Amino acid sequence: MATTTVVTAEERPARGDAAGWSGQFNGNQSELKGNQMKSEISINLIASAVAACVLGCQSAKAAEPLTIVSWGGAYSESQRKAYYEPYTKQAGVKITEEEYDAELGKLKAMKEAGNVTWDVIDVDSSHALSGCDEGLFEKLDYSKIADTSKFLPGTALDCAVGTIAYSTIFAFNADVYKDNQPSSLADLFDTKKYPGKRALLKKPFGNLEWALLADGVPAGDVYKVLATPEGVDRAFKKLDTIKSDVVWWEAGAQPPELLANGQVVMTSAFNGRIGNAIKEGKNFKIVWDRQEFDWDYWAIPAGSKHVEGAYDFIKFASDPKNMSQQSKYIAYAPTRVEAIAMVDPKVAPTLPTYPENMKTAVTTDVQFWADNNEDLTKRFNAWLAQ
């Protein structure tokens, strides 16, 4: 059986935490007064010219086009409505949107080739840390964004600043399960009580934690167990019990589609994607039990040709009023304290941060995944191929 070397907490390197006078002439000589007036006019003209130059320079800099990379689907649509369109209207900046697969291979290749065409990227927590360690992201100057104390703990990192709080949940089609509906994570792994295909993200991230939880590991011990070779083996052994019934998804838009077309009866998903499907009239239900709570971040790729423009956009997106708007379009929560208070109270119960939804939540250990994602992904891919 393949083995995986896991980096434990004790082996991790320490990380620094991501701050006039006025005068009056006396005298009655007209020449002196005339000279004074000329001087004042000259000074005013110079001041006006300098101010115009500064504003012109800022406008020119702000007008540089930006390429922003994100996850696509309903999530990118929410960013477009909450950030891209208002920012373009305010700053006159053309924004080009691109999608990516959540991995940093393409960015790494661009950096090595010396031709980085991305300016802002939305990354998950583990890649926010690993990308920083690998030199793929700029170290952030928070004086150009906002005071770090204004963000929720863990969302103002060295190279990335939090944009949303989201969770991985599982959901089911209530048209299929009208009675005796799934209500706990254990039901996702119970193919006898709840027969049928279920869909999972085609990555080890999240699946290994859920496997251990479903196998009886206490929530507080999940990462301690997963940090051992025996714990990794135990997680894969639990996944073995449902492997033949799993459809693997890779893009966030797929889970609601798989539920809607009947390919699966339940699926893991990002909560906001299912929330949007429900708003569109789908009879889906979210099971919040053991939701895996996590953050997404904005980062600036090292080598971006428009770094100052990227900072200006991120500052705009990090403004509490602007940040609070995204929850209108997708059920993800803000990362700034003031923004949370601005969220529509009617929307709050649909967010992962709502107290009732957080009762059994498991917070993702971002450092664990930054340290171990590569090795565990190799093990996961080998397991899939078996």
Side-chain angles (χ1 to χ4, degrees), residues 19 138-146 148 157-160 300 307-308 311 314:
E138 296 279 340
K139 295 275 186 173
L140 293 181
D141 178 356
Y142 277 90
S143 68
K144 298 180 180 180
I145 302 173
T148 57
L157 306 180
D158 289 345
C159 297
I300 301 174
V307 173
E308 292 307 311
Y311 268 116
I314 293 174

Side-chain angles (χ1 to χ4, degrees), residues 172-247:
F172 62 91
N173 190 333
D175 289 332
V176 175
Y177 295 114
K178 296 180 180 180
D179 301 309
N180 191 28
Q181 296 179 335
S183 60
S184 71
L185 178 64
D187 296 334
L188 180 67
F189 285 81
D190 191 341
T191 56
K192 292 183 179 179
K193 186 178 180 181
Y194 297 100
K197 296 288 185 180
R198 48 264 283 140
L200 295 175
L201 176 62
K202 198 176 182 180
K203 290 184 179 183
F205 179 82
N207 289 325
L208 299 184
E209 291 98 322
W210 270 3
L212 290 177
L213 288 164
D215 202 42
V217 175
D221 294 337
V222 164
Y223 287 102
K224 293 177 185 177
V225 174
L226 200 53
T228 66
E230 296 80 11
V232 174
D233 290 343
R234 181 176 176 179
F236 278 103
K237 185 176 180 180
K238 185 63 176 178
L239 286 174
D240 278 333
T241 65
I242 61 170
K243 186 178 182 181
S244 62
D245 290 303
V246 172
V247 173

Side-chain angles (χ1 to χ4, degrees), residues 56-176:
C57 292
Q58 289 177 340
S59 297
K61 188 172 291 183
E64 293 178 341
L66 293 174
T67 298
I68 302 179
V69 185
S70 190
W71 306 76
Y75 181 52
S76 286
E77 184 179 354
S78 73
Q79 292 174 315
R80 188 178 308 120
K81 291 177 179 178
Y83 305 127
Y84 305 161
E85 291 175 356
Y87 183 69
T88 294
K89 184 176 180 180
Q90 174 181 298
V93 173
K94 179 183 178 182
I95 292 177
T96 299
E97 299 179 39
E98 288 192 22
E99 296 179 22
Y100 79 126
D101 62 358
E103 298 298 332
L104 300 179
K106 184 175 180 179
L107 178 58
K108 190 178 297 184
M110 286 193 291
K111 187 172 185 292
E112 290 172 352
N115 185 29
V116 176
T117 60
W118 295 350
D119 301 307
V120 179
I121 184 171
D122 184 307
V123 293
D124 61 29
S125 52
S126 63
H127 287 95
L129 295 179
S130 62
C132 189
D133 290 342
E134 295 174 33
L136 296 177
F137 302 142
E138 296 279 340
K139 295 275 186 173
L140 293 181
D141 178 356
Y142 277 90
S143 68
K144 298 180 180 180
I145 302 173
D147 188 332
T148 57
S149 68
K150 302 297 184 181
F151 291 88
L152 294 173
T155 63
L157 306 180
D158 289 345
C159 297
V161 59
T163 175
I164 60 161
Y166 76 98
S167 70
T168 301
I169 48 81
F170 88 88
F172 62 91
N173 190 333
D175 289 332
V176 175

